[in-house]
Amino acid sequence: MERRFLLLFGSQTGQSQAVAEEIFEKALEHGFQPDLHNINETEKKFNIEKETLLVLVISSTGDGEPPDTALKFWRRIRKKTLGSDYLGNLRYTILGLGDSNYSNFCQNPKNFDLRFQQLGAQHFYSMGFADDAIGLEIVVEPWIDGLLSALKSQFSEKSSSLDHAISDKNPQTDLNLKRQIDETDSVKDDNKQDNVANEFTTVDLAIVSTEKELADIKVDEKTIEVSSLVKSIPPIEGQIVVPALPHSFLEVHYSEDESIDLDSLCIQNGAALPSATTDIVMANIVNVSTLTRQDAVKTALEIQLEITESEMTFEPGDSFGIVCENSRDEVEELILRLSVTNVADSVCYLKLKEGTRKKNAAIPPFLPTRTTIRHLLVTCCDIRTPIKKGFIRMLAEYTPNTLEKARLQELCSRQGSSQYTHFIREPNLSLLDILKAFPSCCPPIERILEHLPRLLPRPYSISRYNICF
């Protein structure tokens, strides 16, 4: 009997898709057959009324509204002609992503849950609500652990003969699949890294307390106690549970003899931007004024943009999504730190790694496949976002210093969740900040591009519009 379930995501900025893909990978490793689709593919790739088991990962946007990709599906299941048993054969669960800084936190996932129940569907696993304001992973990680156990129980109810499909090495805990890895095998061979592919790995930590502490460093003009960032006080001893090492899937090939007109490239490879209703317009900055005093905690700026050549129409209540390039000084510093200065401006080609073990591997659509490293880092990738645990897990593999590697493993581990929140999430430490704090860490640019998220627009609402007659 197949162990298939429908796995849907409804995403505005890509976070729900990323979480759904993580569930997809882990479900495969546990012997399940997830059928992953964007929720907007309803009636093309799936029909919800014919499904029996559903996992939905969906976010909220605006005032608790569905993301654009979920509108079609939402309208479909809201039809008043649907009976109370329309989804009577469906068992489901929902993981909602939201931001508690906004009103109606996770209202959209709650609306989906209510509607499913009105149509006769039933839970097989409790809902989860992850808050981007404090860190999605705080809820997402344990929720996925429980989901895998719930899926196992769900299929066991249908056929006890399938119990042998998952081997419980430690029945006293929900974390059934763990593997001891040899800490001497660091980055000798990327193929060896790809063999570390279970849901979690356990790592033995041996932290030498007599090691010389690193000096304080400056991050975003604020002094961060590196002794706290790079060293656990007291140290975490014994085994820790860290995320599985993500499979590598990108290759970068350089052609130093070629030239390229970067201005002719489509912005972010022409990939559609979330919620965009118009084409992208290039704006000129006319004037910048500071609205706050010099001693203000936060600086507020009034920036005048000129878009007179655009045929864009707008009115109060609309919003502009503004994408700003990354600081070229910061990009230059990152290029220097990653040791790619000699090839940063050479023409490069992005290709999928031959033989990659990543399921459904694909080059991110916002990355042009013929470009330069500098262009990617300036215009396409968000280099300032706080790095996630999977990113840190990858960085640890390219950190030869024993103390630094052990600390990075702590920060991405289950046992180090509170420290990750306190030392990375809350102060918004970026990739460059982490590389400064852990000087022996030097990952390949390919792996950096695999993990950096898209540089997205920030919306600004139109509150006033002077119409000249």
Side-chain angles (χ1 to χ4, degrees):
M1 184 176 182
E2 67 175 359
R3 298 160 63 86
R4 176 191 174 277
F5 67 93
L6 181 63
L7 176 57
L8 299 179
F9 63 86
S11 188
Q12 191 74 11
T13 62
Q15 293 198 101
S16 294
Q17 179 176 353
V19 173
E21 290 173 349
E22 180 180 356
I23 295 173
F24 178 86
E25 295 280 352
K26 292 182 177 179
L28 285 177
E29 292 163 6
H30 281 70
F32 301 113
Q33 298 173 15
D35 192 6
L36 176 64
H37 296 291
N38 191 322
I39 198 171
N40 67 2
E41 295 177 309
T42 178
E43 299 180 84
K44 296 178 181 178
K45 297 296 182 67
F46 67 92
N47 288 284
I48 192 62
E49 67 275 13
K50 298 179 181 179
E51 298 292 337
T52 58
L53 197 61
L54 167 68
V55 176
L56 172 62
V57 184
I58 193 165
S59 61
S60 284
T61 186
D63 192 20
E65 299 168 353
D68 292 345
T69 56
L71 288 174
K72 177 182 177 182
F73 182 89
W74 178 240
R75 287 193 295 265
R76 185 169 181 266
I77 65 172
R78 286 191 67 190
K79 292 180 179 178
K80 295 181 179 180
T81 56
L82 300 180
S84 59
D85 60 347
Y86 181 70
L87 299 179
N89 294 324
L90 180 67
R91 303 195 72 180
Y92 73 98
T93 187
I94 298 176
L95 175 59
L97 309 185
D99 189 330
S100 59
N101 288 319
Y102 296 89
S103 59
N104 298 323
F105 171 68
C106 275
Q107 186 58 51
N108 178 59
K110 295 174 184 177
N111 292 341
F112 269 80
D113 178 53
L114 177 60
R115 186 55 179 158
F116 282 159
Q117 294 187 53
Q118 290 172 344
L119 296 176
Q122 297 181 5
H123 290 143
F124 78 90
Y125 177 55
S126 59
M127 291 180 63
F129 301 102
D131 186 0
D132 196 36
I134 61 174
L136 296 175
E137 65 283 340
I138 294 175
V139 169
V140 169
E141 291 179 0
W143 190 88
I144 293 177
D145 297 341
L147 171 66
L148 296 171
S149 297
L151 286 169
K152 176 188 172 185
S153 299
Q154 185 67 23
F155 287 108
S156 295
E157 291 177 5
K158 296 180 180 179
S159 175
S160 60
S161 63
L162 292 177
D163 284 346
H164 69 277
I166 299 179
S167 175
D168 292 336
K169 294 184 179 181
N170 185 359
Q172 302 300 319
T173 174
D174 289 334
L175 306 177
N176 295 321
L177 293 182
K178 298 181 180 178
R179 182 176 355 186
Q180 187 70 33
I181 64 174
D182 185 350
E183 283 304 290
T184 61
D185 294 335
S186 178
V187 197
K188 296 179 181 179
D189 190 331
D190 196 53
N191 291 329
K192 291 183 180 179
Q193 295 175 24
D194 284 344
N195 290 330
V196 185
N198 277 333
E199 178 193 357
F200 295 103
T201 56
T202 58
V203 177
D204 283 318
L205 291 184
I207 301 179
V208 183
S209 59
T210 58
E211 179 75 11
K212 180 181 178 182
E213 294 185 5
L214 297 176
D216 288 352
I217 63 170
K218 292 282 186 176
V219 178
D220 285 341
E221 301 183 352
K222 297 181 296 185
T223 300
I224 290 183
E225 293 184 4
V226 175
S227 59
S228 298
L229 176 62
V230 304
K231 183 177 181 180
S232 176
I233 303 174
I236 300 176
E237 299 179 351
Q239 287 188 341
I240 59 174
V241 181
V242 299
L245 182 64
H247 294 306
S248 58
F249 64 92
L250 276 185
E251 290 182 348
V252 178
H253 299 273
Y254 300 97
S255 179
E256 299 182 14
D257 296 332
E258 288 187 48
S259 61
I260 186 171
D261 180 9
L262 295 175
D263 292 333
S264 67
L265 298 181
C266 295
I267 297 175
Q268 296 187 2
N269 202 35
L273 289 166
S275 302
T277 58
T278 67
D279 294 333
I280 297 176
V281 174
M282 301 301 293
N284 295 318
I285 298 178
V286 177
N287 185 51
V288 179
S289 303
T290 303
L291 303 180
T292 49
R293 301 188 313 181
Q294 291 184 349
D295 59 351
V297 176
K298 290 186 177 181
T299 302
L301 301 176
E302 180 184 72
I303 302 176
Q304 295 182 16
L305 303 177
E306 182 182 14
I307 56 172
T308 53
E309 296 182 2
S310 167
E311 298 181 356
M312 184 187 304
T313 60
F314 53 89
E315 59 186 22
D318 292 343
S319 64
F320 285 114
I322 298 179
V323 184
C324 298
E325 292 184 347
N326 290 313
S327 164
R328 292 181 179 269
D329 290 339
E330 290 182 21
V331 169
E332 180 61 35
E333 192 173 1
L334 187 57
I335 286 173
L336 181 65
R337 182 63 180 78
L338 294 173
S339 301
V340 290
T341 303
N342 292 339
V343 294
D345 298 299
S346 299
V347 174
C348 67
Y349 292 85
L350 301 188
K351 298 181 179 180
L352 284 179
K353 179 181 177 181
E354 186 176 353
T356 180
R357 296 182 61 190
K358 180 178 173 62
K359 300 293 183 181
N360 299 326
I363 298 174
F366 60 90
L367 298 181
T369 55
R370 182 177 183 270
T371 180
T372 68
I373 295 298
R374 188 183 304 276
H375 180 75
L376 291 173
L377 295 177
V378 170
T379 67
C380 300
C381 300
D382 188 347
I383 64 173
R384 281 195 168 189
T385 188
I387 64 174
K388 299 187 181 297
K389 287 188 175 182
F391 203 158
I392 298 174
R393 174 69 176 91
M394 180 275 291
L395 293 178
E397 291 302 301
Y398 298 91
T399 306
N401 180 280
T402 304
L403 271 184
E404 294 178 8
K405 179 172 185 174
R407 181 54 178 156
L408 287 171
Q409 289 171 335
E410 286 181 336
L411 289 169
C412 70
S413 71
R414 283 173 170 269
Q415 292 79 358
S417 290
S418 61
Q419 295 190 29
Y420 168 82
T421 300
H422 183 67
F423 295 123
I424 295 179
R425 177 74 190 188
E426 291 178 353
N428 293 314
L429 295 195
S430 66
L431 169 63
L432 187 56
D433 296 329
I434 298 299
L435 292 176
K436 287 180 180 179
F438 298 88
S440 76
C441 179
C442 192
I445 187 64
E446 292 89 343
R447 305 237 62 188
I448 295 298
L449 294 175
E450 290 170 0
H451 286 269
L452 283 176
R454 184 179 186 179
L455 183 61
L456 292 170
R458 174 173 293 185
Y460 292 88
S461 298
I462 299 173
S463 59
R464 185 178 62 183
Y465 176 36
N466 296 326
I467 303 177
C468 299
F469 294 95

